[in-house]
């Protein structure tokens, strides 16, 4: 059979030999089921190939057995049946579907079959072996000679796929690096979140402690003022009572003496009559009774509020003086561990005692300074190798040998590892005090234990500087209450 006769017997929708063919007025032929599937749920019926409208109606599906219009589809027998067939012996225990449901399933099956055969050229029914670089799509050998691909360049499918795979691998590598970068950021965030949580909890405890301290001081002041008020009340009442009781006692004594004289003889009474008359003529002014107006309310309230203000200021000043420089774990060298309260740093265990030079395990403070005066004390007694001071923010970010410039520090090296460019101390100290005067461009170092100066740097600061702490052992930032 030649290609022309084969094409005449093939449905252009299902690409199979016609099954119950139907001819449209445009002369294109289709399987009735393919045409029903194409026209399903469409208001305007068109030829699937030429898109010409058709007024033709497909004949109803007929039941072969009873010669009436079919209403169901028998899944087992693969044929249309009427309602009478459902109860017939020929279809006992068979499964039935609605014609509409069968047509929908038929169309889906055809579409899936078409997608599974994408490796075959839809125009020439040949295997796709080449890739058109201009059209960016696979083609068959016959397509090379088609007018639509004139002057186009082609690659083998494998070569083109290899090129795209390499591009995708490159993109994948970039995506992997980006994901790793995001995971690192997530890790840093989680680490920061942990330190933030610790700091919040510590701050909450400090607030509660300071509030309780202030409450106790206020309570003490309240009790002291009330006690003073009660004492004044007691003194005032006692004075008045004592004065009244004294007068009553004087009168009582006069009455008693008079009663005794009245019991004596007349001549005795007359002898002492003048004295007795003077005795009974007692003249005492009534004591001045205390008044509520005599309580100086303003004085008590003024003293009370003044003392409260003083104690609050003392508590607030104490709180701020007690807050140390805090360390930033994100800036810590990988060989260092920063404590949870961010006030101390130590070297990790199981690391070489004499690492390869240059070696700069340091950590910055959480806060930098660009104005004002600031000071902090560092406990260095447990470290045989340390450096403390300040450095610029840009110096830290550049990495490398950060101690060659843009830092002002003192250094102690009991290991004899390297000559220090800055100021070195020869004796091991217990503590070092760092004093920064940003506005006047000075960084001073001293021994607070012996109260002796170590060294002072003078410069002109042009950017933010951060306290830093460099050690091969451990360092601790002291609170003023620890001094």
């Amino acid at each position: 059979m030649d290609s022309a006769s084969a094409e005449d017997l093939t449905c252009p929708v299902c690409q199979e030999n016609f099954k119950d063919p139907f001819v449209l007025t445009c002369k294109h032929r289709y399987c009735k089921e393919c045409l029903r599937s194409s026209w399903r749920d469409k208001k305007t019926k068109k030829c699937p190939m030429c898109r010409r409208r058709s007024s033709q109606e497909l004949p109803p599906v007929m039941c072969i057995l009873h010669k009436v219009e079919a209403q169901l589809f028998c899944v087992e027998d693969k044929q249309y049946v009427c309602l009478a067939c459902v109860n017939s012996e020929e279809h006992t225990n068979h499964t039935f579907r609605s014609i509409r449901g069968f047509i929908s399933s038929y169309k889906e099956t055809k579409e899936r079959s078409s997608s599974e055969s994408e490796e075959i050229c839809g125009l020439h029914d040949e295997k796709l072996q080449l890739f058109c670089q201009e059209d960016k799509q696979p083609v068959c050998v016959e397509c090379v000679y088609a007018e639509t691909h004139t002057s186009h360049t082609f690659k083998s499918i494998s070569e083109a796929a290899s090129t795209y795979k390499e591009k995708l691998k490159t993109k994948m590598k970039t995506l992997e690096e980006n994901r790793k970068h995001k995971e690192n950021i997530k890790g840093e965030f989680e680490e920061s979140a942990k330190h933030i949580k610790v700091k919040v909890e510590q701050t909450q405890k400090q607030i509660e402690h300071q509030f309780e301290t202030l409450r106790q001081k206020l309570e003490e002041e309240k009790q002291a003022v009330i006690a003073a008020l009660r004492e004044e009340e007691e003194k005032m009442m006692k004075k008045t009572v004592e004065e009244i009781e004294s007068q009553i006692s004087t009168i009582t004594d006069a009455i008693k003496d008079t009663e005794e004289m009245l019991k004596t003889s007349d001549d005795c009474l007359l002898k002492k009559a003048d004295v007795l008359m003077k005795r009974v003529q007692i003249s005492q002014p009534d004591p001045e009774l205390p008044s509520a107006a005599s309580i100086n309310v303003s004085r008590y309230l003024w003293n009370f509020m003044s003392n409260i203000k003083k104690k609050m200021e003392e508590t607030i000043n104490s709180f701020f003086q007690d807050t140390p420089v805090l360390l930033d774990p994100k800036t810590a060298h990988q060989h260092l561990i920063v404590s949870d309260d961010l006030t101390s740093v130590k070297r990790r265990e199981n690391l070489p005692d004499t690492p390869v030079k240059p070696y700069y395990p340091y950590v910055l403070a959480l806060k930098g300074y660009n104005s004002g005066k600031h000071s902090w004390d560092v406990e260095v007694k447990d470290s045989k190798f340390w450096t403390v001071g300040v450095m610029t923010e840009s110096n830290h970010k550049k990495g490398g040998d950060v101690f060659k410039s843009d830092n002002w520090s003192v250094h102690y090296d009991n290991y004899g590892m390297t000559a220090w460019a800055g100021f070195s101390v020869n004796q091991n100290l217990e503590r070092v005090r760092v004093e920064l005067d940003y506005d006047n461009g000075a960084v001073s170092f001293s021994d607070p234990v012996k109260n002796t100066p170590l060294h002072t740097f003078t410069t002109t600061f042009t950017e933010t500087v951060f306290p830093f702490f460099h050690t091969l052992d451990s360092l601790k930032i002291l609170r003023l209450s620890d001094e």
Side-chain angles (χ1 to χ4, degrees):
M1 182 181 295
D2 58 23
S3 59
S5 58
E7 184 176 330
D8 290 340
L9 297 176
T10 302
C11 172
V13 174
C14 64
Q15 298 293 315
E16 296 178 1
N17 290 340
F18 284 114
K19 296 175 183 178
D20 196 9
F22 185 82
V23 183
L24 296 177
T25 54
C26 59
K27 306 303 182 182
H28 291 130
R29 291 184 296 170
Y30 304 93
C31 298
K32 287 182 181 178
E33 293 305 328
C34 292
L35 202 55
R36 282 194 179 93
S37 176
S38 178
W39 285 357
R40 185 171 63 89
D41 297 333
K42 292 183 179 178
K43 295 180 180 180
T44 304
K45 298 177 175 58
K46 296 181 180 180
C47 172
M49 291 184 67
C50 66
R51 312 304 296 168
R52 185 180 299 176
R53 289 189 180 185
S54 174
S55 58
Q56 293 173 270
E57 293 291 338
L58 286 167
V61 180
M62 303 298 290
C63 173
I64 300 175
L65 182 61
H66 299 98
K67 306 301 181 184
V68 296
E69 183 176 353
Q71 294 169 298
L72 298 171
F73 180 79
C74 178
V75 176
E76 283 74 15
D77 292 340
K78 307 296 185 199
Q79 65 182 18
Y80 295 103
V81 296
C82 64
L83 293 177
C85 294
V86 175
N87 299 317
S88 64
E89 293 182 1
E90 291 86 349
H91 296 283
T92 303
N93 297 326
H94 284 193
T95 304
F96 302 93
R97 296 186 64 184
S98 67
I99 292 178
R100 182 183 182 85
F102 166 71
I103 294 175
S104 176
S105 175
Y106 179 80
K107 182 177 182 181
E108 290 175 2
T109 302
K110 290 299 181 181
E111 289 176 349
R112 185 165 57 250
S113 175
S114 176
S115 64
E116 291 174 354
S117 60
E118 287 179 351
E119 294 184 1
I120 302 298
C121 176
L123 295 175
H124 305 102
D125 200 26
E126 296 285 343
K127 184 177 179 180
L128 300 174
Q129 296 177 301
L130 300 172
F131 182 78
C132 177
Q133 297 193 85
E134 282 72 21
D135 293 337
K136 306 298 181 185
Q137 62 180 13
V139 296
C140 69
V141 177
E142 294 293 332
C143 291
V144 175
Y145 304 102
E147 293 183 1
T148 54
H149 294 281
T150 303
S151 301
H152 286 190
T153 55
F154 303 86
K155 282 186 176 182
S156 67
I157 290 288
S158 60
E159 184 181 0
S162 177
T163 301
Y164 274 95
K165 285 180 181 179
E166 290 301 320
K167 290 181 180 179
L168 289 174
K169 286 179 181 179
T170 302
K171 295 292 184 183
M172 279 283 291
K173 184 177 180 181
T174 302
L175 291 174
E176 290 288 349
E177 291 174 351
N178 192 22
R179 181 175 66 177
K180 185 177 180 181
H181 172 67
K182 299 300 182 184
E183 288 174 348
N184 290 338
I185 292 177
K186 181 183 177 183
E188 292 177 1
F189 166 76
E190 291 173 347
E191 188 69 18
S192 297
K194 183 178 73 172
H195 289 294
I196 288 172
K197 183 177 181 180
V198 171
K199 190 58 183 175
V200 167
E201 291 175 351
Q202 291 175 344
T203 304
Q204 179 179 337
K205 289 180 180 179
Q206 282 184 307
I207 291 172
E208 291 172 350
H209 172 71
Q210 294 297 335
F211 181 82
E212 181 61 25
T213 300
L214 183 59
R215 190 196 66 77
Q216 290 178 358
K217 290 181 179 181
L218 293 176
E219 182 64 27
E220 292 171 1
E221 186 60 30
K222 182 189 77 172
Q223 295 299 333
V225 172
I226 291 175
L229 181 63
R230 293 297 183 186
E231 183 179 357
E232 182 177 353
E233 176 193 18
E234 184 178 349
K235 286 181 179 180
M236 186 183 299
M237 295 298 104
K238 183 178 180 182
K239 179 181 177 181
T240 303
V241 170
E242 288 177 349
E243 187 177 353
I244 293 174
E245 288 178 347
S246 176
Q247 291 180 356
I248 292 173
S249 178
T250 301
I251 296 173
T252 300
D253 291 342
I255 293 171
K256 184 178 181 181
D257 290 345
T258 302
E259 288 176 345
E260 291 294 329
M261 288 303 295
L262 289 173
K263 293 178 182 180
T264 61
S265 61
D266 292 342
D267 56 343
C268 289
L269 176 65
L270 292 173
K271 286 180 182 180
K272 297 181 180 180
D274 292 339
V275 176
L276 184 60
M277 291 303 293
K278 291 179 181 180
R279 183 72 183 273
V280 296
Q281 292 176 357
I282 297 174
S283 177
Q284 294 177 319
D286 290 338
E288 184 180 350
L289 297 179
S291 170
S294 61
I295 302 296
N296 193 339
V297 178
S298 297
R299 177 169 62 85
Y300 280 101
L301 290 179
W302 173 258
N303 290 340
F304 178 59
M305 297 307 295
S306 296
N307 290 339
I308 287 178
K309 180 181 179 184
K310 182 179 179 181
K311 290 182 182 297
M312 289 184 68
E313 288 176 347
E314 290 175 354
T315 303
I316 292 171
N317 290 335
S318 173
F319 174 78
F320 282 106
Q321 289 174 356
D322 220 23
T323 304
V325 170
L326 300 178
L327 302 176
D328 184 358
K330 293 188 295 184
T331 64
H333 187 276
Q334 60 182 348
H335 288 176
L336 296 179
I337 300 176
V338 176
S339 63
D340 289 337
D341 64 0
L342 310 182
T343 61
S344 63
V345 60
K346 66 179 181 179
R347 186 167 174 259
R348 293 184 184 275
E349 298 179 358
N350 303 321
L351 293 174
D353 291 333
T354 54
V356 179
K357 297 181 287 186
Y359 183 58
Y360 304 119
Y362 72 90
V363 59
L364 295 184
L366 198 61
K367 179 182 178 182
Y369 303 111
N370 53 22
S371 65
K373 294 182 179 181
H374 313 275
S375 66
W376 55 95
D377 284 10
V378 187
E379 186 177 81
V380 297
K381 64 180 182 180
D382 295 328
S383 180
K384 296 181 180 179
F385 182 99
W386 52 263
T387 311
V388 295
V390 298
M391 72 166 62
T392 61
E393 185 175 17
S394 60
N395 188 48
H396 164 69
K397 290 182 177 180
K398 75 181 182 182
D401 191 348
V402 295
F403 294 117
K404 285 186 176 180
S405 62
D406 293 334
N407 85 94
W408 300 266
S409 58
V410 294
H411 173 68
Y412 175 75
D413 179 10
N414 193 41
Y415 296 111
M417 290 179 59
T418 180
W420 199 252
F423 181 79
S424 297
V425 295
N426 296 323
Q427 74 276 23
N428 192 12
L429 308 174
E430 288 188 23
R431 301 177 181 180
V432 173
R433 176 166 295 166
V434 185
E435 296 178 280
L436 168 66
D437 186 349
Y438 188 96
D439 298 329
N440 293 317
V443 186
S444 300
F445 301 88
S446 61
D447 179 353
V449 177
K450 297 180 180 179
N451 196 24
T452 56
L454 297 175
H455 189 74
T456 298
F457 294 93
T458 57
T459 185
T460 300
F461 296 114
T462 58
E463 60 176 295
T464 301
V465 294
F466 283 79
F468 76 90
F469 308 87
H470 173 219
T471 184
L472 294 184
D473 301 293
S474 64
L475 296 174
K476 181 181 179 181
I477 304 166
L478 298 175
R479 302 174 184 267
L480 293 185
S481 59
D482 295 333
E483 298 177 5

